[in-house]
Each structure stands twice: as structure tokens, then as C-alpha cells.
Amino acid sequence: MRKLGVFGGTFDPIHYGHLRIAEEARERFGLDHILFVPNKVSPFKIGYTSTPAALRVELVRGAIAGNPHFSLWTGELEREGTSYTVETLRALAQEFRDAHLYFLTGTDAVRDIGKWREPEACLALAQFVAFYRPGVSEAEARIGVPDELEPRIIFAAMNGLDISSTEIRQRMQASRSIRYLVPESVVALIEEKRLYRVVE
């Protein structure tokens, strides 16, 4: 059975930190392929106004072009309402019946996993891998994760690319360079579409 990575997020914008996590996960866990899954509305980001989905999809598509192991899956954007991980994993399990799913996420997300819709079902549908940032120990990464769920999650150290989408948006608003934080294709699209600028 092939191993399929599922990497979900707002990707607003996608950056080299995301791409490096995906590549590291692919190599470390022997994944055959990784799907990048942009979400529409995260239940934990209600009130946050993200860049329109079509533009975020364009950014992801540009960022992963050229890597035959990466592709885009837009199922969450095609579904009505809020994006719930359990619904995404069920849809993927149905679509890719020949694959064992690996759900790639961060430790900030899994700390809230007890509040997710059907967390037990999520963990049954996919092997969860939670990456933690440089300077954080594995013991620290596990803090706050529900005791009954924590043993079923693999915790993995992230490499040194400590980049955030928030930082990139802030840099754009301050007219600072984002080159070498995101792929050139993403820089070009951000410039072309005039994203993340202060509206005057």
C-alpha cells in the first residue's frame, strides 16, 4: 500500500518552510506522494479574513510546480461551509483507497485536537505527524496534547526554516523583501496580484 502525505493549511501565502516540511516528511516517512490541501475556512480562524481561495490555490500551484512528488487537492474548497479535517480525511480515504494517509501538521494544531470534530475518527483515518519548531524539545511539543490521543501522534523535529506566513504578510505591508522566504514564482504572483499590501 502506498503512503500518501496530506498537508493542509491556509497557505496564505505558501513559503519555503511549508515546502521543506513536506519534502522532509516525504523522505523521513517514505511517502510516495504529498497532497497540498488549501482550506476554505478553518474552524479555529473564524474572523480571520484570508486571501481568496482561488489566489491561494494559484500560489500553491506555482510553488509546487516542478516537484513530481507534490500535487494540489482542492476538495476542501469545493465543499460548502467550514473545513473539518475529519471530512477531508474521509473524502481522501474514499478517493485514494490504495493509500495509507499521513496527515502532516504542526504542534500548535494538535494541542487543540481534543476540540476538533471527531478527533478519534481523524486518528483512525490517518497517521498524524506533528512537526515542532527549532528550539522546542519533543517533551515541550507534547505539552497540552490530550493524554488519550498523544500516543497516536508522531512528533518530529522540523529543520531550521522557521518561516511564518504572518511574517511574510507583515513584511509585504512594511514594503520589505520576501525574496528567499518564498519561491520566485510566489514572489512574482504576489507582486502581480498586489497581495498583502496596505490598502490606502
Side-chain angles (χ1 to χ4, degrees):
M1 182 173 281
R2 67 181 181 138
K3 297 179 178 180
L4 182 64
V6 179
F7 193 10
T10 310
F11 299 124
D12 196 14
I14 190 168
H15 53 66
Y16 276 129
H18 294 129
L19 297 170
R20 187 58 223 170
I21 286 173
E23 182 67 6
E24 212 165 283
R26 187 185 72 79
E27 189 173 55
R28 196 182 305 186
F29 299 102
L31 305 182
D32 297 290
H33 200 80
I34 293 180
L35 298 176
F36 284 73
V37 182
N39 63 28
K40 182 162 40 179
V41 182
S42 166
F44 296 102
K45 289 188 178 181
I46 302 300
Y48 164 73
T49 304
S50 63
T51 301
L55 289 174
R56 289 185 288 116
V57 163
E58 207 174 334
L59 293 171
V60 173
R61 187 177 282 118
I64 65 176
N67 188 329
H69 301 290
F70 292 172
S71 59
L72 178 68
W73 190 81
T74 57
E76 286 201 3
L77 303 175
E78 293 155 12
R79 201 165 59 227
E80 291 299 317
T82 303
S83 298
Y84 290 104
T85 299
V86 68
E87 293 171 1
T88 297
L89 291 175
R90 282 181 176 137
L92 288 167
Q94 190 72 17
E95 185 173 338
F96 301 97
R97 296 181 183 221
D98 65 333
H100 179 52
L101 304 179
Y102 281 69
F103 186 78
L104 313 178
T105 187
T107 51
D108 290 347
V110 294
R111 283 196 185 99
D112 288 323
I113 196 169
K115 301 174 187 174
W116 291 18
R117 178 172 287 189
E118 300 182 61
E120 290 279 354
C122 289
L123 291 166
L125 286 160
Q127 172 62 66
F128 272 54
V129 179
F131 283 89
Y132 52 91
R133 293 185 179 276
V136 175
S137 69
E138 184 172 339
E140 290 170 323
R142 291 176 179 272
I143 292 172
V145 179
D147 291 343
E148 69 278 14
L149 303 178
E150 184 248 18
R152 295 161 64 184
I153 300 168
I154 296 172
F155 289 80
M158 189 192 301
N159 74 6
L161 294 182
D162 195 7
I163 304 169
S164 77
S165 296
T166 300
E167 174 193 1
I168 291 165
R169 293 194 301 271
Q170 289 171 343
R171 281 179 165 272
M172 287 300 300
Q173 288 165 3
S175 299
R176 296 178 64 197
S177 172
I178 59 169
R179 184 153 281 148
Y180 311 122
L181 295 174
V182 302
E184 285 298 313
S185 59
V186 174
V187 174
L189 278 166
I190 287 173
E191 292 293 340
E192 178 191 338
K193 306 293 185 182
R194 300 185 63 79
L195 302 177
Y196 312 120
R197 297 176 185 274
V198 175
V199 178
E200 297 179 357

